[in-house]
Amino acid sequence: MASLFTDSALHVRQVGDTPGSASALKMAFASYQKAARTLAGIAHALADAHGVGDQLTAEAEVMISAILSDPEYLPTVAARAWRWAPEMEEVADTLRAAELPTDMAEATARVLAYWEQDKDQFDLPVVHTLSQLRSEKSR
């Protein structure tokens, strides 16, 4: 298959050993990439509604972010989820007041609830943190 794309701008590589691995990678990456850009749009719309767009951009410029490329950071997110979930509900209220979509903030609060039992446990292994997201499908 890779030979079909020789001398093209497309870089072909094998992903996983089972059928569907490449599609799973595509969906995992797209879930982050598209959601992150959508969240940026909502954040900028909220900041613009309150006249603080330039300040939001300045805050973002000083952030060092490797969130997707550094899963070792995720246990610290889980450890703080107990206080971040209520904050995301407040974000939803603020978005609602600005007549902006609240869905992603509300969904974030619901996902953070999966990590409630990891409160202040900053030394948990990444595999535990990830498994917490799969632990109860009925949530």
Side-chain angles (χ1 to χ4, degrees), residues 17-37:
D17 295 328
T18 58
S21 295
S23 293
L25 174 60
K26 177 184 178 192
M27 292 297 103
F29 186 73
S31 72
Y32 173 78
Q33 183 187 40
K34 294 346 183 238
R37 282 157 177 74

Side-chain angles (χ1 to χ4, degrees), residues 106-129:
E106 292 165 343
T108 300
R110 286 192 304 275
V111 171
L112 288 166
Y114 283 59
W115 287 323
E116 284 178 350
Q117 65 275 16
D118 295 338
K119 180 180 179 179
D120 295 332
Q121 297 181 54
F122 292 89
D123 58 349
L124 294 172
V126 173
V127 67
H128 168 83
T129 301

Side-chain angles (χ1 to χ4, degrees), residues 4 7 10-11 16-18 24 38-39 41 55-57 59 61 67 69 76 79 81 95-96 104 115 128-129 135 139:
L4 296 173
D7 297 325
L10 186 63
H11 300 282
D17 295 328
T18 58
T38 303
L39 286 171
Q55 291 86 348
L56 176 63
T57 300
E59 285 292 320
E61 287 173 348
I67 296 169
S69 64
T76 68
L95 290 167
R96 191 174 296 105
M104 294 182 84
W115 287 323
H128 168 83
T129 301
S135 64
R139 291 188 207 194

